DNA sequence: TCCGGCCAACTGGTCTGGCCAGTCTACCTT
DNA sequence: AAGGTAGACTGGCCAGACCAGTTGGCCGGA
C-alpha cells in the first residue's frame, strides 16, 4: 500500500473544480437551460472562493458554450442547441468545412478504388453487412444518431477493405471530428434517399471490382454531402427547429 | 448625424478580445504548438491589461484546448487535438512501406495541385526558400541528416501553400513516421540528383500555377522515392552501415 | 570530487477590496 | 399619465499582495 500519503488538497486548480461543480449541476438538471445563476459575489461566498476564481471558472464554461454571461443581467445556463453550433464558430468551423471535405474526397476516393481492387470475400461480407444495417435503420421511425453512426460504419468498412491502415486511421479521426463537430446532414430533406442511392453505387462497384466506377461513385457521394452541408450552413435556422 | 460619439472602447469583453488576439497569433503560426507564452505578469503589461483579465482569457482558451497551463512552468500552446489523435493512432502500430507510400501519394499529389492553384507571393517565397536551402545542403560534404530535414521542410512548404490544415497535419505526422522509422533513400546512388530534379519540376509547376503539372511532378517524385526505397529494402546490407 | 540539501528566482494560483459600466425598476417630476 | 432620473442590482476591470509549485545554482559536508 503506497497510497498512504493522500494529497490533502483536492486535485486540480480551484477554478477548474468550480467549473466541474457547476457543470455537474447542469448535467444533473439542478440547473436548467435559461436559469440564472446567483450573482457572482453571492455565488463566490456560497462556494467559499474568491470572485476572480469563480470568474475564471465561468469564463471556461462560457468558452465551451455551457454558460452565457450578460453584462448587467447575470450568468445564464446555455441551451445545448447553441452549444453545438457554438463549437462550429469557436473552432472557426465555416472555414474548416471546405478543408474537411476536400480532405475527405482526397482520402475516400482512392479508398473506394482500392477497395474495388483488393476486395475479398470477407471484405464484401463486411460491406454488405454494414450496408444492410444502414438501410434497415433508415426505415421509420428514423433514429438519427443511429443512422449517423451506421453511415460512418459503412465508410469505415470501405476503407477497411481498401487495406491501408494509415488511410483507415486518418479517416477515422476525420470522421470523429465531423461527428462531434457538426450534426449529420442526412436529415436534410431528400438527402437520406440520395445518400442511400450513392451508397448502393459504391457497394455495387466494389463488389464488381470496378475500381473506376467505385472512385467516381465515392467522389459523387462526398460532393453530394458537401453540397448539403454547405446549404445547411447557409440556412441553419430550419435545423434549429429540430430538437438538437 | 448621431454617430458623433463613437465608442472609444472596442466592442466585446476585454478578456474575449485578448483571447481572440492570442488565438490569431496561434492560427497565424506566430505561435507554434509547444511554444511558451511570456509570463502572465509580463504579457499583461505588454497588452496593457490587468492580470485577472489576461487570466480569464487564458482560461477560456485552455478550456477550448488551445493553451495548456502548467503551474510553475508557464503557459504553452497546445497541439491541435486533431494532430494529437492522428499521431496517437498512426504511430501505434508497425509500418508497412507499401501503405505508407500509397498514402503519401494520395496526399501529396493533391497537395501539389492545390498549392499550384492557391499559391500566393509569400507562399512562393516559402517554397523558394525551402528549395534553395535544400539545394545548398546537397553540396559536398553532404550532411545527410540535414538534407533529410530540409527535404521534409520542402514538402511541408508545399502542403502549407496548399492551404489545407488537415492535410498539413496528416502529412506532418506521416513524415515524422518516415523520418524516425526509416533512413532517407536520398543517399542511394543517383537518388539525390534525381530527387533534386523532381523538386525543381514541382516548384516550377507551382510557381507557374500549373496544377496539372504540379500533380504529375509530385506523383513522379513519390513513385521515384518509393522505387528507391523498394530497391533499398531488397539489398539493405550496404545501407545498414549507415547511421539512420 | 561528488553528492545532498538548501535557498532564491522564476513560474502560475488565489485572494482582498475597490471602482467602473451596463440594466432594470421604482419613484419622482413635469 | 408620461417622462426622466436615481439607485440598486448585475457583471467588468484593476491594483497589489501573498501562496504554491518548479527549477537551477550555490554551498557545505562526505
Amino acid at each position: 500500500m503506497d497510497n498512504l500519503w493522500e494529497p490533502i488538497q483536492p486535485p486540480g486548480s480551484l477554478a477548474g473544480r468550480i467549473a466541474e461543480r457547476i457543470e455537474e449541476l447542469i448535467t444533473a438538471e439542478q440547473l436548467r437551460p435559461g436559469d440564472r445563476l446567483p450573482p457572482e459575489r453571492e455565488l463566490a461566498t456560497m462556494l467559499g472562493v474568491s470572485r476572480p476564481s469563480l470568474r475564471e471558472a465561468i469564463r471556461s464554461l462560457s468558452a465551451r458554450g455551457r454558460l452565457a454571461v450578460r453584462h448587467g443581467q447575470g450568468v445564464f445556463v446555455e441551451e445545448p442547441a447553441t452549444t453545438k453550433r457554438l463549437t462550429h464558430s469557436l473552432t472557426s468551423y465555416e472555414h474548416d468545412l471546405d478543408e474537411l471535405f476536400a480532405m475527405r474526397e482526397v482520402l475516400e476516393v482512392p479508398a473506394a478504388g482500392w477497395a474495388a481492387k483488393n476486395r475479398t470475400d470477407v471484405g464484401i461480407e463486411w460491406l454488405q453487412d454494414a450496408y444492410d444495417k444502414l438501410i434497415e435503420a433508415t426505415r421509420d421511425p428514423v433514429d438519427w444518431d443511429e443512422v449517423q453512426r451506421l453511415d460512418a460504419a459503412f465508410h469505415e468498412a470501405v476503407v477497411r477493405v481498401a487495406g491501408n491502415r494509415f488511410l483507415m486511421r486518418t479517416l477515422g479521426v476525420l470522421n470523429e471530428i465531423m461527428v462531434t463537430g457538426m450534426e449529420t446532414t442526412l436529415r436534410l430533406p431528400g438527402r437520406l434517399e440520395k445518400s442511400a442511392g450513392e451508397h448502393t453505387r459504391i457497394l455495387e462497384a466494389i463488389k464488381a471490382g470496378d475500381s473506376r466506377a467505385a472512385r467516381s461513385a465515392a467522389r459523387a457521394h462526398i460532393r453530394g454531402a458537401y453540397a448539403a452541408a454547405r446549404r445547411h450552413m447557409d440556412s441553419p435556422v430550419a435545423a434549429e427547429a429540430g430538437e438538437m
Side-chain angles (χ1 to χ4, degrees), chain A:
Chain A
M1 169 66 122
D2 50 2
N3 268 10
L4 200 58
W5 300 107
E6 295 283 336
I8 308 289
Q9 290 287 337
S13 74
L14 182 53
R17 277 176 286 149
I18 298 173
E20 271 178 41
R21 179 87 189 94
I22 295 176
E23 200 162 15
E24 274 173 27
L25 291 181
I26 294 177
T27 49
E29 306 210 3
Q30 303 280 331
L31 288 172
R32 293 159 167 284
D35 280 3
R36 205 192 72 179
L37 269 58
E40 289 184 353
R41 295 165 230 273
E42 233 176 278
L43 189 49
T45 36
M46 282 163 58
L47 294 170
V49 301
S50 74
R51 218 181 130 205
S53 300
L54 173 61
R55 280 181 60 82
E56 286 185 21
I58 291 175
R59 272 288 171 198
S60 72
L61 286 173
S62 81
R64 281 163 35 201
R66 318 284 295 186
L67 294 179
V69 182
R70 291 201 275 275
H71 190 168
Q73 299 179 251
V75 180
F76 300 82
V77 178
E78 266 287 24
E79 299 284 340
T82 35
T83 302
K84 219 177 188 182
R85 304 218 327 116
L86 257 183
T87 56
H88 294 190
S89 53
L90 286 184
T91 57
S92 59
Y93 201 80
E94 329 73 41
H95 189 265
D96 284 359
L97 193 68
D98 296 340
E99 300 180 14
L100 194 54
F101 273 93
M103 187 74 174
R104 269 194 77 187
E105 183 173 329
V106 163
L107 294 174
E108 298 225 25
V109 168
W114 290 339
K117 272 207 199 77
N118 305 338
R119 73 195 193 288
T120 60
D121 287 345
V122 280
I124 289 179
E125 203 171 303
W126 292 337
L127 269 173
Q128 189 69 56
D129 194 48
Y131 176 84
D132 291 342
K133 275 185 186 150
L134 179 53
I135 294 293
E136 179 61 32
T138 57
R139 302 200 197 294
D140 286 325
V142 182
D143 176 348
W144 293 103
D145 283 344
E146 184 70 358
V147 167
Q148 186 170 22
R149 206 182 58 73
L150 289 171
D151 183 81
F154 176 76
H155 284 262
E156 194 194 323
V158 173
V159 194
R160 181 188 304 278
V161 175
N164 187 316
R165 285 163 294 176
F166 287 107
L167 192 60
M168 197 168 86
R169 313 257 169 158
T170 308
L171 262 175
V173 173
L174 231 53
N175 249 318
E176 200 179 317
I177 294 173
M178 301 215 3
V179 169
T180 59
M182 63 186 292
E183 54 203 306
T184 177
T185 56
L186 287 175
R187 60 198 315 164
L188 301 181
R191 181 66 204 141
L192 185 61
E193 297 73 23
K194 193 140 177 290
S195 174
E198 290 161 358
H199 282 161
T200 312
R201 280 186 54 209
I202 295 176
L203 175 64
E204 292 307 326
I206 293 176
K207 279 163 81 173
D210 186 341
S211 168
R212 207 157 160 283
R215 289 174 61 95
S216 91
R219 180 174 288 116
H221 182 51
I222 305 289
R223 293 195 176 168
Y226 176 49
R230 280 301 291 266
R231 280 198 304 277
H232 177 51
M233 297 291 286
D234 292 342
S235 60
V237 191
E240 275 176 318
E243 92 307 351
M244 295 240 292

